[in-house]
Amino acid sequence: MIRLVCMLALMIVSAANARAQTFADSPLTIDLAQDHVDITMGFNGADLVLFGTRRGAGDVAVVIRGPEVPAVVRRKGQVMGIWMNMRAITFRNVPAYYDLALSGNEADFAAPEALRDNRIGLNTLDFRPDTRLDRTVVESFQEALIRNRQLQGYFPLEPRRINFLSNDFFRADFRVPPNVPTGDYLVQTYLIREGAVVDRRETRLRVAQVGFNAKVYSFSRDHGFAYGIAGVLLAVIAGWGAYAFSRRD
Amino acid sequence: MQIYLPIAEMAVPVESILVLGTVVGFLSGVFGVGGGFLMTPFLIFMGLPPAIAVGTQANQLVAGSLSGVLGHWKRGNVDFKLGGVMLAGSVIGSVVGVVLFKMLQYIGQIDFVIPVLYVVLLGTMGAMMFFESLMVLIRSKGKPASDEKPSLLTKPFFQALPYKMRFPRSRLYVSALVPATIGFVGGLLVSIMGIGGGFLLVPAMIYILGMPTLLVAGTSLFQILLTTVITTIMHATANHTVDLVLAALLIVGGVVGVQIGVRVARRITGAWARVALATLLLLISFQLAGQLFIRPADLYTATVW
């Protein structure tokens, strides 16, 4: 009995040791210059910088994923000359925001399976549609969704470049647009050797309104009625004030 | 200079918003229309989600219409009793409108229905007003100008309606159902389209009720004021779609514009003002109609919750 306990203890301790060793030996290390994007009154987009080191050779890919949300894509058709929305497909698990930085060319970056398994690249994202329509139709809707998101700045038009400051030290620069969706983001970094992912690291990023903006937002959600009254009062005071002011001419 | 809107969650240029508010306020003061039919489409065009454009616009209209009403009231140009009856109808209309708006959003037809409503309403009102005003102008060349308008109230259908009430200021004796229904439609339009409804109220008051022109602008602003107060509160409570920062900016521009407009209004004679308004309505109506028939650049649109 005691021997069993001692053996178990030994196994646990050596396993813990091994883990500690892999952490120190890990080829990839990353950190964000700032792990939150604060949206203030004068927010007009923000720069996001990720630093990292890699031990040994290999390509690096950094992916920024926003929270997953449903998206509805509608296609217009003509009815008696008027263009109106006819068919709609809802896609689940669409990232509200997606951005990508690679240390090499996208074309031959890694084996397609590696890219697909890790969802690196816009064409590897699998949006689940809520319909059993023909595959080609769904694809055209999906392409339209990606196109639409790209136009609005939520998806990248092409991957960014990772800068290597020395043989092992790199940085990835991103820029988020003013209309960046709020929420908890995931920043995932992959190390690729000979077409396969050998290491991955993950860190969190929080995009949220702060200060006055945040107070207004929570006031509007938690106390909708009072907020409405406040809006009306604001308008009444302004209207009355302007009238009183003009009367003094 | 950009400012970030907390509810809309996007940044907009401050200057454009201020100018837009002023122009719209000016129209409000001159014609007694809310100006929302310019403001809401413009806000949506700038990228604001339609629900927030509609809700915030209602808030802005409160300020503009109050400022204008006070001006008209001072000159004794508001019929409060009539406005009150219309209000009863417009409260119900607003509630129905908010519900309809949500339904249309859900089935994804909101950006089809709103332009169609605009085209139909603006087109009809604009055309009617245009021809009628032209007739008055042409006729007045030969004989002394008289501000006579044919009133629908003389028709037997209207005479037979129940619940007649006296409205001394407008010198009317008419069934309360008539102004109440006009109010109902007004309330509906405010909450679905984000407009004041003035361009419907003004012709309705002139042609259906036969009110004196001088009272029309003030009373319609009074009606718009009360309707938009209710709609703002409802949109804020039910949908959380009123952005106070945007509203504040629009209000600043709007109240300035309205005061200028009220002054200008006194110098313009009835028929010419109606021709100008009618032309504006027709232009916007044609523009929107054209867009419905032109093949859009991208057949696909995407909405994300």
Side-chain angles (χ1 to χ4, degrees), chain A residues 89-174:
Chain A
I89 294 184
T90 306
F91 291 98
R92 315 266 157 221
N93 69 308
V94 178
Y97 188 81
Y98 187 90
D99 210 351
L100 174 67
L102 302 174
S103 62
N105 292 319
E106 192 181 10
D108 47 11
F109 193 68
E113 308 83 54
L115 292 177
R116 223 189 340 268
D117 290 339
N118 293 286
R119 293 180 297 151
I120 301 173
L122 277 180
N123 48 341
T124 64
L125 295 178
D126 58 342
F127 308 138
R128 273 176 275 127
D130 69 342
T131 177
R132 270 184 251 110
L133 280 173
D134 190 30
R135 189 71 218 163
T136 40
V137 173
V138 172
E139 264 168 27
S140 61
F141 272 77
Q142 187 161 316
E143 272 166 26
L145 174 63
I146 295 180
R147 199 169 51 230
N148 175 284
R149 306 303 287 167
Q150 281 175 322
L151 263 171
Q152 306 222 5
Y154 298 121
F155 282 5
L157 290 167
E158 53 175 27
R160 299 175 192 266
R161 271 297 195 164
I162 292 182
N163 275 325
F164 274 89
L165 303 171
S166 77
N167 211 23
D168 303 322
F169 187 48
F170 62 86
R171 75 180 267 167
D173 290 272
F174 298 90

Side-chain angles (χ1 to χ4, degrees), chain A residues 4-123:
Chain A
L4 192 57
V5 171
C6 285
M7 246 174 48
L8 275 175
L10 197 63
M11 278 165 59
I12 292 171
V13 168
S14 59
N17 257 346
R19 192 147 302 151
Q21 277 180 333
T22 47
F23 183 72
D25 283 343
S26 137
L28 199 59
T29 318
I30 56 153
D31 199 8
L32 283 167
Q34 196 177 26
D35 67 354
H36 53 97
V37 173
D38 291 333
I39 297 178
T40 56
M41 190 121 265
F43 184 72
N44 204 13
D47 293 314
L48 220 64
V49 186
L50 178 99
F51 290 100
T53 62
R54 73 157 178 208
R55 195 120 33 86
D59 281 315
V60 179
V62 180
V63 179
I64 299 184
R65 295 182 213 278
E68 291 193 338
V69 291
V72 183
V73 185
R74 304 181 203 274
R75 186 194 148 93
K76 283 190 168 65
Q78 242 182 334
V79 173
M80 290 190 300
I82 297 182
W83 288 92
M84 51 186 289
N85 288 323
M86 307 269 292
R87 183 171 276 177
I89 294 184
T90 306
F91 291 98
R92 315 266 157 221
N93 69 308
V94 178
Y97 188 81
Y98 187 90
D99 210 351
L100 174 67
L102 302 174
S103 62
N105 292 319
E106 192 181 10
D108 47 11
F109 193 68
E113 308 83 54
L115 292 177
R116 223 189 340 268
D117 290 339
N118 293 286
R119 293 180 297 151
I120 301 173
L122 277 180
N123 48 341

Side-chain angles (χ1 to χ4, degrees), chain B residues 51-182:
Chain B
I52 299 195
V54 167
T56 311
Q57 174 57 10
N59 195 356
Q60 188 271 349
L61 287 170
V62 171
S65 45
L66 174 69
S67 177
V69 162
L70 290 173
H72 285 287
W73 180 28
K74 208 68 203 166
R75 298 173 183 93
N77 292 338
V78 183
D79 185 343
F80 290 102
K81 190 171 177 190
L82 192 61
V85 172
M86 287 202 279
L87 177 66
S90 69
V91 169
I92 305 173
S94 293
V95 174
V96 173
V98 169
V99 170
L100 271 179
F101 190 91
K102 285 212 93 139
M103 273 172 47
L104 286 170
Q105 264 193 319
Y106 186 71
I107 64 174
Q109 290 299 354
I110 195 78
D111 31 298
F112 163 69
V113 167
I114 288 187
V116 167
L117 281 177
Y118 270 104
V119 168
V120 167
L121 285 170
L122 294 184
T124 324
M125 290 302 152
M128 271 172 43
M129 196 184 288
F130 190 74
F131 288 118
E132 191 277 329
S133 316
L134 270 187
M135 291 293 116
V136 169
L137 283 173
I138 292 172
R139 258 188 272 131
S140 73
K141 298 282 194 238
K143 24 181 216 172
S146 62
D147 215 1
E148 256 184 54
K149 312 153 292 295
S151 162
L152 283 179
L153 277 185
T154 48
K155 298 233 165 35
F157 170 72
F158 288 96
Q159 291 290 337
L161 289 171
Y163 306 118
K164 284 197 183 237
M165 286 173 70
R166 267 184 206 288
F167 301 101
R169 212 168 241 174
S170 309
R171 298 187 293 272
L172 286 176
Y173 179 59
V174 64
S175 159
L177 289 178
V178 180
T181 313
I182 296 176

Side-chain angles (χ1 to χ4, degrees), chain A residues 39-44 69-78 80-86 90 94 96 137 140-141 144-145 147-149 151-152 178-180 182 209 212-214 216-217 219-222 224-225 227-232 234-240 242-243 246-247 249, chain B residues 2-7 9-11 59-64 66-68 70-75 105-112 116 225 228-230 232-233 236-237 239-245 247-248 251-252 255-256 259 263 291-296 298-305:
Chain A
I39 297 178
T40 56
M41 190 121 265
F43 184 72
N44 204 13
V69 291
V72 183
V73 185
R74 304 181 203 274
R75 186 194 148 93
K76 283 190 168 65
Q78 242 182 334
M80 290 190 300
I82 297 182
W83 288 92
M84 51 186 289
N85 288 323
M86 307 269 292
T90 306
V94 178
V137 173
S140 61
F141 272 77
L145 174 63
R147 199 169 51 230
N148 175 284
R149 306 303 287 167
L151 263 171
Q152 306 222 5
N179 55 346
V180 59
T182 52
Q209 298 194 54
F212 179 71
N213 277 26
V216 172
Y217 187 85
F219 183 35
S220 84
R221 294 266 153 177
D222 301 334
F225 186 71
Y227 179 86
I229 303 271
V232 170
L234 169 72
V236 164
I237 292 170
W240 205 296
Y243 171 72
S246 72
R247 287 239 299 131
D249 298 337
Chain B
Q2 302 272 89
I3 194 167
Y4 190 86
L5 305 173
I7 312 295
E9 295 191 310
M10 56 181 284
N59 195 356
Q60 188 271 349
L61 287 170
V62 171
L66 174 69
S67 177
L70 290 173
H72 285 287
W73 180 28
K74 208 68 203 166
R75 298 173 183 93
Q105 264 193 319
Y106 186 71
I107 64 174
Q109 290 299 354
I110 195 78
D111 31 298
F112 163 69
V116 167
L225 170 69
T228 48
V229 165
I230 292 168
T232 302
I233 297 177
T237 319
N239 303 333
H240 310 288
T241 50
V242 178
D243 191 312
L244 276 186
V245 173
I251 285 170
V252 164
V255 294
V256 168
Q259 287 306 314
R263 275 173 182 69
Q291 281 180 339
L292 279 176
F293 287 92
I294 294 176
R295 187 198 160 89
D298 193 345
L299 288 182
Y300 295 89
T301 44
T303 346
V304 166
W305 306 137

